[in-house]
Amino acid sequence: MITVSLCMIVKNEEKILARCLDSIGDLADEIIIVDTGSTDRTKEIAARYTDQIYDFTWTQDFAAARNFSFSKANCDYIYSADADEVLDEGNREKFRILKENLMPEIEIVQMYYGNQLAFGTVYNYDKELRPKLFKRLRTFCWIEPVHETVRLSPIVFDSDIEITHLPEGSHTGRDLEIFHKIVKEGGELSERLKNMFARELMISGTPENFREAEDYFTQIADGEETGPDQMKEALCIVVKAARMRGDYLKMYRYAMKDVASESVSEVCFELGEYYFEQKEYQEAAIWYYNAAYETQSILNIHSGGDLPLMRLSGCYDKMNLPEEAKEYRLLAQEWRA
């Protein structure tokens, strides 16, 4: 049977840390808690479960904190958990079985991360596979009978274990603060982080967040080297930011860049919002319909679902068409269900 180090980075998690450790702690062979500056009872609660508690000065770098926690591990595998995760009894049993039967050549085990849409996270799906269990020491081996080479890709096993995500609140403000700091200091964001930055903004960003990010995404939208996917994401942010500021000329100019190609739901929805604000409800309904039925969302799944459907209901209410308004209201409710 393999041994497992449970590694966590925490800060001010007194309300939920015990819930997490009660659900997974007894399945681990050691528990490592790295605290990044708690001012509540987090470390006191952690001490009920382990004496391996370490302080780490927060540098707004989750990777650095996570790497520090991994450096303290001693077991065969490392299980990375956040305080807002829970394993129910059925999935606890699956974890036990996995420990008893995991083949040593497996280097990464993926598990389902569930309950995403219930809390307004940056993901457009309720359940996804994520790497959660990592072999601590990796053994390199040669492969291929001729022109041999060292295998560099890890051996990944997709398990059927599902972790329930139960956050106490949104982390959007914290995450956006980190993104803004990196950009302000001239740092580079990877394509993945640019996508996550845009998602955070579209799903939970405030008008102030959009104002701070507008110039950055405008530069991306205007960049000659920008790829088509990044261009679409940047246009979504620029169009919404410009509309929120009342700069309708800029909004329309960048929206047309999107509409001229294969448009996305987010931009169509923003055009609908503009016309709704102008009380041009028939025109607004056209764009909301396009958002719901003629295009696909790329950053916020709700922009192509319940949001335009509810706005369509509002448009028909304004146009004194109650039957149509009721129909779209029901469709929005069905979409959410």
Side-chain angles (χ1 to χ4, degrees), residues 121-133:
T121 67
V122 298
Y123 300 96
N124 284 329
Y125 29 77
D126 203 45
K127 185 168 75 170
E128 63 156 346
L129 278 169
R130 287 190 184 181
K132 294 294 292 181
L133 188 67

Side-chain angles (χ1 to χ4, degrees), residues 191-232:
E191 288 189 17
R192 173 178 172 271
L193 285 185
K194 287 175 184 174
N195 173 267
M196 297 299 288
F197 190 6
R199 285 181 186 274
E200 294 260 13
L201 285 166
M202 289 302 294
I203 293 174
S204 305
T206 65
E208 179 61 26
N209 293 146
F210 275 89
R211 280 193 293 273
E212 291 183 26
E214 184 177 351
D215 286 347
Y216 176 72
F217 283 99
T218 299
Q219 290 174 8
I220 295 174
D222 291 340
E224 294 182 0
E225 303 299 321
T226 302
D229 291 340
Q230 283 189 22
M231 174 67 73
K232 288 287 188 185

Side-chain angles (χ1 to χ4, degrees), residues 43-312:
K43 290 200 286 186
E44 176 188 333
I45 294 168
R48 301 175 193 167
Y49 299 85
T50 181
D51 59 0
Q52 291 182 262
I53 302 171
Y54 303 90
D55 290 313
F56 182 83
T57 301
W58 178 238
T59 60
Q60 292 194 313
D61 187 336
F62 283 98
R66 197 78 71 182
N67 286 334
F68 178 76
S69 73
F70 275 31
S71 74
K72 300 300 181 182
N74 299 290
C75 293
D76 301 328
Y77 285 80
I78 299 171
Y79 180 74
S80 176
D82 292 326
D84 56 9
E85 298 175 7
V86 174
L87 275 181
D88 62 27
E89 196 53 48
N91 286 290
R92 280 169 48 82
E93 182 60 25
K94 291 178 182 178
F95 199 108
R96 289 191 192 92
I97 294 170
L98 179 74
K99 281 189 68 176
E100 293 173 356
N101 295 280
L102 190 65
M103 296 180 291
E105 60 264 33
I106 300 297
E107 294 168 322
I108 295 175
V109 176
Q110 296 204 113
M111 301 177 186
Y112 285 101
Y113 207 68
N115 207 36
Q116 292 287 73
L117 293 178
F119 293 94
T121 67
V122 298
Y123 300 96
N124 284 329
Y125 29 77
D126 203 45
K127 185 168 75 170
E128 63 156 346
L129 278 169
R130 287 190 184 181
K132 294 294 292 181
L133 188 67
F134 307 86
K135 194 167 189 179
R136 186 172 64 87
L137 297 177
R138 186 178 182 192
T139 303
F140 290 97
C141 64
W142 290 88
I143 57 174
E144 309 293 4
V146 64
H147 298 299
E148 66 278 8
T149 186
V150 172
R151 178 175 54 78
L152 299 177
S153 299
I155 297 178
V156 180
F157 171 65
D158 293 343
S159 76
D160 62 350
I161 297 171
E162 182 171 343
I163 300 153
T164 302
H165 186 212
L166 295 173
E168 284 288 295
S170 172
H171 300 310
T172 296
R174 175 200 67 190
D175 295 346
L176 287 175
E177 182 182 342
I178 295 173
F179 283 127
H180 288 311
K181 182 175 185 293
I182 294 171
V183 169
K184 188 176 181 179
E185 294 176 354
E188 266 299 315
L189 295 179
S190 65
E191 288 189 17
R192 173 178 172 271
L193 285 185
K194 287 175 184 174
N195 173 267
M196 297 299 288
F197 190 6
R199 285 181 186 274
E200 294 260 13
L201 285 166
M202 289 302 294
I203 293 174
S204 305
T206 65
E208 179 61 26
N209 293 146
F210 275 89
R211 280 193 293 273
E212 291 183 26
E214 184 177 351
D215 286 347
Y216 176 72
F217 283 99
T218 299
Q219 290 174 8
I220 295 174
D222 291 340
E224 294 182 0
E225 303 299 321
T226 302
D229 291 340
Q230 283 189 22
M231 174 67 73
K232 288 287 188 185
E233 293 168 3
L235 290 174
C236 291
I237 303 304
V238 175
V239 169
K240 182 165 184 172
R243 181 190 64 78
M244 294 171 83
R245 286 192 302 105
D247 187 346
Y248 301 130
L249 179 60
K250 182 176 182 179
M251 175 204 77
Y252 214 83
R253 182 156 55 90
Y254 282 85
M256 290 306 101
K257 284 188 176 185
D258 176 68
V259 174
S261 59
E262 185 177 347
S263 192
V264 297
S265 298
E266 287 83 351
V267 170
C268 290
F269 181 78
E270 288 304 315
L271 288 170
E273 293 285 83
Y274 165 72
Y275 285 110
F276 194 90
E277 291 170 358
Q278 303 304 311
K279 298 182 171 53
E280 296 184 31
Y281 302 117
Q282 190 167 359
E283 187 69 22
I286 292 172
W287 289 106
Y288 289 137
Y289 186 91
N290 282 333
Y293 294 109
E294 302 297 336
T295 54
Q296 297 292 320
S297 61
I298 60 171
L299 294 173
N300 181 1
I301 193 172
H302 296 278
S303 295
D306 57 327
L307 292 181
L309 292 171
M310 279 304 297
R311 284 292 201 242
L312 278 165

Side-chain angles (χ1 to χ4, degrees), residues 285 293 309-332:
Y293 294 109
L309 292 171
M310 279 304 297
R311 284 292 201 242
L312 278 165
S313 176
C315 287
Y316 285 110
D317 269 333
K318 295 291 186 181
M319 291 187 284
N320 294 315
L321 296 168
E323 289 302 316
E324 288 85 349
K326 179 181 179 182
E327 177 184 351
Y328 282 110
R329 191 160 49 248
L330 291 173
L331 287 170

